[in-house]
Amino acid sequence: MSVNNHTYLLRQIPAVDEVFKDPAIADLTSSTPRPLVLKAIRDSISQLRKELAAGRLLIQQEQQARDFLMSIIVKNSVYRAHSQKRSNLRRVLNATGVVLHTNLGRSVLGESARQAIINAASGYSNLELDLATGKRGSRYAPVEQLLTQLTGAEAALVVNNNAAAVLLALSTLARGQEVIVSRGQLVEIGGSFRIPEVMAQSGARLVEVGATNKTYVTDYQKAITSQTALLLQVHTSNYRIIGFTRETSTAELVGLGRITQLPVMCDLGSGSLVDLSGRGLPAEPTVQQVVKDGADVVTFSGDKLLGGPQAGIIVGKKEYLDRMKKNPLTRAVRIDKFTVSALEATLREYIDPQTLWQHIPTLDMLTADNNLLRQKAQTLSEELNATAGAEAFFTPVQTPSAVGGGALPTADLPSWAVEVAPRNMTVDELAGILRESEPAVIGRLQDEKLLLDMRAILPGEESALVQVLSGVLKEGAPS
Ligand SMILES: *Cc1c(COP(=O)(O)O)cnc(C)c1O
């Protein structure tokens, strides 16, 4: 009888009960729910059957076949059970240099917002109860007052995200009617948010005017009919048209809106409440400025430049906001108590411009001092060379980083990174293993090197970065 006789080998596979008696499995069962271990064993056995049937497993000595198969099953079961226990949504060290990375969850919340979420989650709250009267209150009240105070608008409303904010505004103000937009502003934001498609979904009809590079206020004027309900301006978040260009300003559009008695809506996208131009970033119209220019409705995201939780913020004239609040769609896209609490805490930080820049991580990282980033890259390179210098070369290098989140696309932020050149594996292999580590590490690949940009590495994350990196380089795949 041949050693690799499949029928014989298949009969040597231990039964589930026997596998449970193995010391390593018994050990595993003390810290892992039994159904999870059982599934891991069954899956391991079925995988082993397939390997044997396909002749992929060769066994040298027949007498040891049983022990050998048992050891494979045990090892594989332990590995499976451990990966099953890990959360699917995992902590990531963001070494991409992109501060507002949509795939990595955009804004990191400040301390006060994190605390507010824990409070809201740990007990009951007056989410929809007016404590002064004992009557039913509005879940928007805690943020509405702050938003009107900070932006100068008459009224405010918050929904799930800015895409929902735009949809709600269009559906309320222009359903069955026409909305005029410049051809240069028919943007697509990542994750399939396209102005023409959102427009179609809202039931409003899109009327495009002007050319891609130039749109004058007269272009809007000529397109106005008895069917027109709204003049819409969209921030071209993730691209810039440069060269021979002309955009109609918010103030010009508002002027036309006043004469023709049409509301003007501005989808700002990122919508910053502070002027970033004084801190090395390109000038962007702030929400306050657009409100001051007379826009009737302004929409922006909570988790882009604002640095708060995912949310779509709508501010503007009370008459339009009141109509939106009555739209049944508002109920469908309403925010939960975690968003209310985190947004309130984030907005409160904006009351004090002195501490704001340190308290909002997004703003802190976007305006990080270049010397500090260099120092971070140098210190980390030294530490890595000390712990894993035999496995890779680590060098501090200068590199440009980006804002991300479809904000400030032309801003090139000078940053510093640790360049990693592994000796015993390819950079692709290294990047792959780092993605599967805990915490995961996501860097940037460039010229056969892995760049770990320091800009979006949070205070205190450096030691975890050293630990994961040296562990991976020394042992290969994570356990
Ligand atoms: C980002 C963006 C959106 C979508 O906002 P979300 O909060 O991601 O839903 C809509 N419009 C513009 C102009 C944007 O930049």
Side-chain angles (χ1 to χ4, degrees), residues 280-327:
L281 292 162
E284 282 283 302
T286 59
V287 179
Q288 300 89 302
Q289 186 57 52
V290 177
V291 168
K292 204 169 156 213
D293 286 343
D296 299 281
V297 175
V298 184
T299 58
F300 57 103
S301 290
D303 55 353
K304 290 185 183 172
L305 289 174
L306 189 75
Q310 179 190 304
I313 301 171
I314 313 174
V315 299
K317 301 274 160 63
K318 189 169 181 303
E319 58 169 307
Y320 302 116
L321 273 284
D322 280 347
R323 280 168 61 192
M324 288 182 211
K325 286 172 188 171
K326 289 193 198 106
N327 187 332

Side-chain angles (χ1 to χ4, degrees), residues 135-193:
K135 294 208 170 74
R136 186 179 175 149
S138 154
R139 70 173 58 213
Y140 306 108
V143 286
E144 177 160 17
Q145 182 262 325
L146 280 162
L147 280 167
T148 52
Q149 181 189 332
L150 289 165
T151 65
E154 286 175 12
L157 174 63
V158 181
V159 293
N160 244 320
N161 51 39
N162 191 33
V166 174
L167 179 67
L168 173 64
L170 291 177
S171 140
T172 308
L173 304 177
R175 187 175 198 84
Q177 290 177 282
E178 292 172 357
V179 178
I180 306 178
V181 191
S182 158
R183 284 208 170 80
Q185 299 177 350
L186 299 174
V187 305
E188 170 177 325
I189 313 290
S192 71
F193 173 94

Side-chain angles (χ1 to χ4, degrees), residues 126-138:
N126 62 329
L127 184 65
E128 289 192 352
L129 178 71
D130 184 339
L131 293 175
T133 63
K135 294 208 170 74
R136 186 179 175 149
S138 154

